[in-house]
Amino acid sequence: METTLDPSDWESLRRLGHRMVDDMLEYLRSVRDRPVWGPVPESVRRQLGMPLPDDPTTPEHVYADFREQVLPYALGNTHPRFWGLVCGTGTPFGMLAELLAGGLNANVFAGEHSAPYVEAQVIGWLERMLGIDETASGVLVSGGSVANLVGLTVARNVRSGIDLDGHGLANASQRPVLYGSTETHNSVAKAVQTLGLGRRALRLVPTNARYEIDVSALERAINDDRAAGYRPFCIVANAGTVNTGATDDMLALADIAAANDLWMHVDGAFGALVALSPKLRSRVAGLERADSVAFDLHKWLHMPYEVACVLVRDREAHRAAFSPSGAYLGRMPRGLMSGPYVPNEYGPELSRGFRALKVWMSLKEHGRRRFSDLIEQNVAQAAYLADRIAATPGLELAAPVPLNIVCFRATAPGVDVNELNREILMRLQERGIAVPTGTVLNGCFVIRVAITNHRSRREDFDALVDAVAALRAELVIPDPRRGSA
Amino acid sequence: METTLDPSDWESLRRLGHRMVDDMLEYLRSVRDRPVWGPVPESVRRQLGMPLPDDPTTPEHVYADFREQVLPYALGNTHPRFWGLVCGTGTPFGMLAELLAGGLNANVFAGEHSAPYVEAQVIGWLERMLGIDETASGVLVSGGSVANLVGLTVARNVRSGIDLDGHGLANASQRPVLYGSTETHNSVAKAVQTLGLGRRALRLVPTNARYEIDVSALERAINDDRAAGYRPFCIVANAGTVNTGATDDMLALADIAAANDLWMHVDGAFGALVALSPKLRSRVAGLERADSVAFDLHKWLHMPYEVACVLVRDREAHRAAFSPSGAYLGRMPRGLMSGPYVPNEYGPELSRGFRALKVWMSLKEHGRRRFSDLIEQNVAQAAYLADRIAATPGLELAAPVPLNIVCFRATAPGVDVNELNREILMRLQERGIAVPTGTVLNGCFVIRVAITNHRSRREDFDALVDAVAALRAELVIPDPRRGSA
């Protein structure tokens, strides 16, 4: 008798599946009633350090391990008062879509089956939602970092003078350089390293007081580099910087790119999505002129992790960058190896999961308009929070609030303000009240609230402001009757 | 009242979730009763080309769309007679793990929550399973292609003379070159392009008759390149080539790498997993001497797509290659931004999904030994199939069968043998009998059966041989009473 990984008892697995659905839906329905976050206890850490048994464990027992060791110590980004980093909230229906994708277990490398059609359809939907020319090529990838890597790979291949058929950059007659503001996301620096360009190839241009790239400084940098014998090849524009939500003047950048024969790549991880909103769309004017655009779907569209998209105007250049093929992938006129869309030729992966399914199901579930409404809602909440902070004694805004990110800090005379805010932030998290995270602006540590959360309500921001004010009071004028957190 | 993406009716979503669990488990339980594959009908393609509505659709209706447009036209890799490309089969419990991961929706960038501990635990398990030193660093990535990209990025950074702090490869005094056999997977060529090395940097070394790298030719190539002023920096060893399952002599390659100060990267997409089996482990002797190893978990371990792993012996070099950080990611002594494991510093992604959960749950469910048994079973099935083919008139083996891949073809005097086999293959697929795919060996098109399938039984290989023999008869001596497929 041959072995299989299928269950010996399908009926008990079915009952377990029902329990999982019930438990997870209840977990999500009741998330507001729980603390946002708490640390992993030492006893659980010990469990999560044990070796793998040689022998099987029943599915019920494995699920009990999950319920005890994993579920209670979540990151917290499903909670209405989680505003750390830039995380999406996920959705219950998105979770169910992951079940279906896990069951189908499609490898969406290419081929004639439904999944590549679904992926091509959602790429078209996303192009239209963002106002990008629908002749652009696109592919779903794991996240914004890989989306940036893909866009910058094509940019380098097309505009840097690299000798792709020979020895690549090692044959370069000029050293290629690219530009982005000092607020550019770390994934761009990571991509530049991966692409073999070296740290100095990325020219970080100063910003204005709104944290947008200084356009004149950019032009000077390009001219200086050209005069010094470098080869400028790309501008990275930010649609929504990670620190403050600033968006570069993309119309100006597109003009500069055109005048200098540079590629314009837009890192629009969350910010590009404001193009969905008729009310906010003007804030990303110029997006439609990009040569490539990277954006996440697991952030402001709340698809379950991981899924992002990269669109490239020059389809052929996009394909050429990722299409080294193999004999075992040969196309056939009929059968499985036919099919019109070959997504593996547009990104780093060959085997590819069916991440398109959750996108397809979630976009259908809500329709374009509800996503647009939610983005507007988060932007309005950021403005509300900014007003509350500005009106609260002892708190001050640390940066403009152009979109959905609010940076602020508590102040007090005669204390180390950076330490004060770090301590406030950690206590907010440790007490499970709310999860902002921090950043550094102009050398100062600030508390940073990134609102990409479909469960947040105004009352949650009131709770945040009240808690920060209370923690400030607790820390600035210590009350001897209370200990520290 | 504020908008949310949560359901208005949790109870009806719960009922829908139960239906999905029931339907998908039944789909998997009964998969053997259905054809392996069929094309997507024109009417469905039309549906999968429609624009996105502005307005919502009920979850029930979206699920009906899935049932009508997506599920019936699957790739087929859950079926016991799917042996195309190299695809895993997935498992029912793995599907349920995806449900849980989708509900938790963790961003496993780093931080103090359960998910990074789970990922660190499974990395340790995998190291021990493969016999790799547990001090090696590791990270889960989307697939073998990205795992290869990660390993080769570190190799290039450490051994190619690249000027990472300056202008990268554009400052190189010598042109870096790396080596792999002509059977090396296309993802290595893709990675070399992405890394900026150019097509000629990848030296393809001939193989012996067993499709293993010709070790003497490799040594000559290294010496010649060095004499010509190139800088050899890496050998890519194959543990299980995609065409025939050949494994290079990794002990010899490790010696050559050591003698020449080269990095040894092992592409062990599926082949590295034979290290789990005490019976087969000797076939990958030398694996433990690799500087980096890439392998998939969605292939021969049947985790749902996507998940692969890369291990790197030099932890610090690994981290240095992917750790450009940002102020908003600053570590804190307490709270969410503490935690011991920072996986985003070991791979291309910053936001990262909880792919570790399905690995953790699946490895626990089955334990190490059952995976080892299944790998042995597939290797034995390949030998069985090879014997059946060798014993069948009109069929011949096209390559040795060292592992789990069988390449063969039908022959007949006076016909175009390549066309004959292409037609046999397409009809096998179109009639839903079985799904091998094809490849080209020594200029000849051959049918290729890659057995990474926990549902296959010996009877399935009998069915394949019988069907191929029948199709050959049908095509070589056409029967005027039957049309083509």
Side-chain angles (χ1 to χ4, degrees):
Chain A
M1 188 55 196
E2 280 148 317
T3 297
T4 170
L5 300 181
D6 279 336
S8 49
D9 179 353
W10 289 85
E11 177 54 27
S12 74
L13 193 67
R14 194 177 77 86
R15 284 196 302 271
L16 180 63
H18 286 206
R19 261 186 62 203
M20 289 175 173
V21 168
D22 294 351
D23 292 347
M24 292 308 295
L25 286 175
E26 181 55 24
Y27 174 85
L28 294 174
R29 200 196 56 75
S30 61
V31 61
R32 175 174 287 280
D33 307 332
R34 290 190 300 274
V36 187
W37 178 85
V40 183
E42 183 52 38
S43 61
V44 171
R45 291 191 208 180
R46 236 188 340 265
Q47 288 291 321
L48 294 176
M50 303 283 274
L52 176 70
D54 272 1
D55 294 314
T57 305
T58 65
E60 289 76 10
H61 193 97
V62 176
Y63 182 56
D65 288 349
F66 168 80
R67 298 271 301 168
E68 282 167 33
Q69 298 166 26
V70 180
L71 187 63
Y73 312 106
L75 177 64
N77 55 314
T78 59
H79 195 284
R81 288 190 300 280
F82 187 99
W83 308 298
L85 310 148
V86 185
C87 290
T89 317
T91 69
F93 193 60
M95 170 183 80
L96 295 178
E98 290 288 60
L99 169 86
L100 303 176
L104 260 181
N105 196 36
N107 177 348
V108 196
F109 73 104
E112 170 66 12
H113 53 123
S114 52
Y117 291 96
V118 170
E119 181 160 345
Q121 186 176 33
V122 302
I123 298 284
W125 290 350
L126 293 166
E127 285 170 341
R128 182 168 293 199
M129 286 163 79
L130 263 63
I132 304 289
D133 189 334
E134 286 172 62
T135 63
S137 56
V139 69
L140 298 181
V141 293
S142 55
S145 295
V146 170
N148 280 333
L149 177 63
V150 169
L152 294 175
T153 302
V154 187
R156 183 205 61 185
N157 289 1
V158 172
R159 301 288 171 89
S160 78
I162 187 174
D163 178 13
L164 283 173
D165 289 324
H167 284 274
L169 292 165
N171 272 5
S173 54
Q174 288 179 299
R175 288 175 291 192
V177 289
L178 73 168
Y179 305 85
S181 85
T182 48
E183 294 294 303
T184 300
H185 190 259
N186 84 304
S187 60
V188 171
K190 211 185 229 192
V192 166
Q193 292 286 85
T194 302
L195 292 172
L197 292 160
R199 223 177 298 276
R200 290 191 57 196
L202 178 58
R203 309 302 207 184
L204 294 179
V205 178
T207 64
N208 60 28
R210 295 185 305 277
Y211 295 95
E212 301 157 358
I213 194 167
D214 179 332
V215 172
S216 313
L218 169 66
E219 286 191 292
R220 279 195 305 276
I222 293 170
N223 289 334
D224 290 352
D225 278 336
R226 195 158 273 158
Y230 294 104
R231 177 163 181 154
F233 76 94
C234 179
I235 300 171
V236 178
N238 287 304
T241 59
V242 68
N243 274 334
T244 71
T247 294
D248 294 332
D249 182 346
M250 290 192 284
L251 289 170
L253 296 190
D255 286 341
I256 295 171
N260 290 277
D261 195 29
L262 308 186
W263 186 276
M264 180 163 102
H265 173 77
V266 175
D267 177 1
F270 56 95
L273 277 306
V274 306
L276 270 71
S277 154
K279 213 165 101 184
L280 299 171
R281 188 176 295 153
S282 63
R283 306 204 187 175
V284 290
L287 182 67
E288 68 287 351
R289 292 177 61 190
D291 293 294
S292 51
V293 184
F295 55 101
D296 284 300
L297 310 180
H298 53 216
K299 290 191 169 97
W300 226 352
L301 294 186
H302 305 292
M303 316 285 169
Y305 284 94
E306 309 164 338
V307 60
C309 181
V310 56
L311 302 174
V312 179
R313 182 192 301 278
D314 182 340
R315 179 180 289 271
E316 201 31 58
H318 188 184
R319 207 190 67 82
F322 295 99
S323 56
S325 199
Y328 71 104
L329 293 171
R331 301 289 295 272
M332 304 276 277
R334 299 173 356 248
L336 181 78
M337 296 301 276
S338 59
Y341 177 50
V342 183
N344 77 75
E345 294 187 345
Y346 296 90
E349 282 113 3
L350 175 54
S351 291
R352 300 173 70 256
F354 195 9
R355 54 180 91 246
L357 183 64
K358 59 191 168 196
V359 183
W360 190 77
M361 293 184 70
S362 300
L363 289 177
K364 279 181 177 242
E365 182 196 14
H366 298 297
R368 188 199 54 76
R369 195 179 304 115
R370 195 183 282 165
F371 287 107
S372 160
D373 290 348
L374 251 169
I375 286 167
E376 292 175 7
Q377 176 171 299
N378 282 166
V379 171
Q381 287 167 337
Y384 174 80
L385 174 61
D387 287 346
R388 284 280 336 251
I389 287 163
T392 302
L395 302 186
E396 65 179 24
L397 288 172
V401 181
L403 211 61
N404 62 329
I405 295 181
V406 182
C407 291
F408 72 99
R409 57 180 194 165
T411 59
V415 303
D416 180 332
V417 175
N418 286 345
E419 272 315 300
L420 172 65
N421 283 281
R422 289 166 67 89
E423 191 60 34
I424 289 173
L425 181 60
M426 288 189 288
R427 290 190 188 190
L428 270 176
Q429 295 174 353
E430 286 174 315
R431 295 180 192 179
I433 300 167
V435 174
T437 49
T439 194
V440 176
L441 295 177
N442 300 317
C444 296
F445 182 86
V446 302
I447 298 172
R448 178 180 158 282
V449 179
I451 311 172
T452 44
N453 191 318
H454 68 79
R455 295 198 173 103
S456 301
R457 302 176 190 153
R458 291 213 167 178
E459 70 198 57
D460 295 310
F461 301 100
D462 292 335
L464 171 69
V465 174
D466 295 347
V468 171
L471 282 167
R472 175 184 172 279
E474 186 180 311
L475 286 160
V476 172
I477 309 158
D479 178 338
R481 286 164 306 181
R482 296 181 69 162
S484 70
Chain B
M1 188 55 197
E2 280 147 316
T3 298
T4 172
L5 300 181
D6 279 335
S8 49
D9 180 351
W10 290 83
E11 178 54 27
S12 73
L13 194 67
R14 193 176 77 86
R15 283 196 302 271
L16 181 63
H18 286 205
R19 262 187 60 205
M20 289 175 173
V21 168
D22 293 351
D23 292 347
M24 292 309 295
L25 285 175
E26 182 53 25
Y27 174 84
L28 294 173
R29 201 195 55 76
S30 61
V31 61
R32 174 173 287 279
D33 307 332
R34 291 190 300 274
V36 186
W37 179 86
V40 183
E42 183 51 38
S43 61
V44 171
R45 291 191 207 181
R46 237 188 341 265
Q47 288 291 322
L48 294 177
M50 303 283 276
L52 177 69
D54 272 1
D55 294 314
T57 305
T58 65
E60 288 77 11
H61 193 97
V62 176
Y63 181 55
D65 288 349
F66 168 80
R67 297 270 302 168
E68 282 167 33
Q69 298 165 28
V70 180
L71 187 62
Y73 312 106
L75 177 63
N77 56 314
T78 59
H79 195 284
R81 287 190 300 279
F82 186 98
W83 307 297
L85 311 147
V86 185
C87 290
T89 317
T91 69
F93 193 60
M95 171 184 81
L96 296 177
E98 289 290 60
L99 170 87
L100 303 176
L104 259 182
N105 195 37
N107 176 347
V108 195
F109 73 103
E112 170 65 14
H113 53 125
S114 51
Y117 291 95
V118 169
E119 181 161 343
Q121 187 176 30
V122 302
I123 298 285
W125 290 350
L126 292 166
E127 285 169 342
R128 182 168 295 199
M129 286 163 81
L130 263 64
I132 304 288
D133 190 333
E134 287 173 63
T135 64
S137 57
V139 70
L140 297 181
V141 294
S142 54
S145 295
V146 170
N148 280 334
L149 177 63
V150 168
L152 294 176
T153 302
V154 187
R156 182 204 61 184
N157 289 1
V158 172
R159 300 286 170 90
S160 78
I162 187 174
D163 179 12
L164 283 172
D165 289 324
H167 284 273
L169 291 167
N171 273 5
S173 54
Q174 288 179 299
R175 289 176 289 191
V177 288
L178 72 167
Y179 305 85
S181 86
T182 48
E183 293 294 302
T184 300
H185 190 258
N186 85 306
S187 60
V188 171
K190 210 185 229 192
V192 166
Q193 292 286 86
T194 301
L195 292 172
L197 292 161
R199 223 176 299 275
R200 290 191 56 197
L202 178 57
R203 309 302 208 185
L204 295 180
V205 178
T207 64
N208 60 28
R210 295 185 305 276
Y211 295 96
E212 302 158 358
I213 194 167
D214 178 333
V215 172
S216 313
L218 169 67
E219 286 191 293
R220 279 195 305 275
I222 293 170
N223 289 334
D224 291 352
D225 279 336
R226 195 159 273 157
Y230 294 104
R231 178 165 179 150
F233 74 95
C234 179
I235 300 170
V236 178
N238 287 304
T241 59
V242 69
N243 275 335
T244 70
T247 294
D248 295 332
D249 181 345
M250 292 192 283
L251 289 170
L253 297 189
D255 285 343
I256 295 172
N260 290 277
D261 195 28
L262 308 186
W263 186 277
M264 180 164 104
H265 173 77
V266 175
D267 178 0
F270 55 96
L273 277 307
V274 306
L276 269 71
S277 155
K279 213 165 101 185
L280 299 171
R281 188 175 296 154
S282 62
R283 306 206 187 174
V284 290
L287 182 68
E288 69 287 350
R289 291 178 61 190
D291 293 294
S292 51
V293 184
F295 55 100
D296 284 301
L297 309 180
H298 53 215
K299 290 190 169 98
W300 225 352
L301 294 186
H302 306 291
M303 316 285 169
Y305 283 93
E306 307 164 339
V307 59
C309 182
V310 56
L311 303 174
V312 179
R313 181 194 301 276
D314 182 342
R315 177 179 290 269
E316 200 33 56
H318 187 183
R319 207 191 68 82
F322 295 100
S323 57
S325 197
Y328 71 104
L329 293 171
R331 301 289 296 272
M332 304 278 275
R334 300 171 353 248
L336 180 77
M337 297 299 277
S338 58
Y341 177 51
V342 184
N344 76 76
E345 294 187 344
Y346 296 89
E349 283 113 3
L350 176 54
S351 290
R352 301 173 68 256
F354 196 8
R355 56 179 92 246
L357 183 62
K358 60 192 168 197
V359 183
W360 190 78
M361 293 183 71
S362 301
L363 289 177
K364 279 182 178 241
E365 183 196 13
H366 298 297
R368 189 199 54 76
R369 195 177 305 113
R370 196 183 282 164
F371 287 107
S372 161
D373 289 348
L374 252 168
I375 286 167
E376 293 174 7
Q377 176 170 298
N378 282 166
V379 171
Q381 287 167 336
Y384 175 80
L385 174 62
D387 287 347
R388 284 281 335 251
I389 287 164
T392 303
L395 303 187
E396 65 180 23
L397 287 172
V401 181
L403 211 60
N404 62 328
I405 296 182
V406 181
C407 291
F408 71 100
R409 57 180 193 165
T411 57
V415 304
D416 180 332
V417 174
N418 287 344
E419 272 316 300
L420 172 65
N421 283 281
R422 288 166 68 89
E423 191 59 34
I424 288 173
L425 181 61
M426 289 190 287
R427 291 190 188 191
L428 269 176
Q429 295 175 353
E430 287 174 314
R431 295 181 191 178
I433 300 168
V435 173
T437 49
T439 194
V440 176
L441 294 177
N442 299 319
C444 296
F445 182 86
V446 302
I447 298 173
R448 177 180 160 281
V449 179
I451 310 171
T452 45
N453 191 319
H454 68 78
R455 294 198 173 105
S456 301
R457 302 175 190 154
R458 292 213 167 178
E459 69 199 56
D460 296 309
F461 301 101
D462 292 334
L464 171 69
V465 173
D466 294 347
V468 170
L471 282 166
R472 175 184 172 280
E474 185 178 311
L475 286 159
V476 171
I477 309 157
D479 178 339
R481 286 163 304 179
R482 295 180 70 164
S484 71

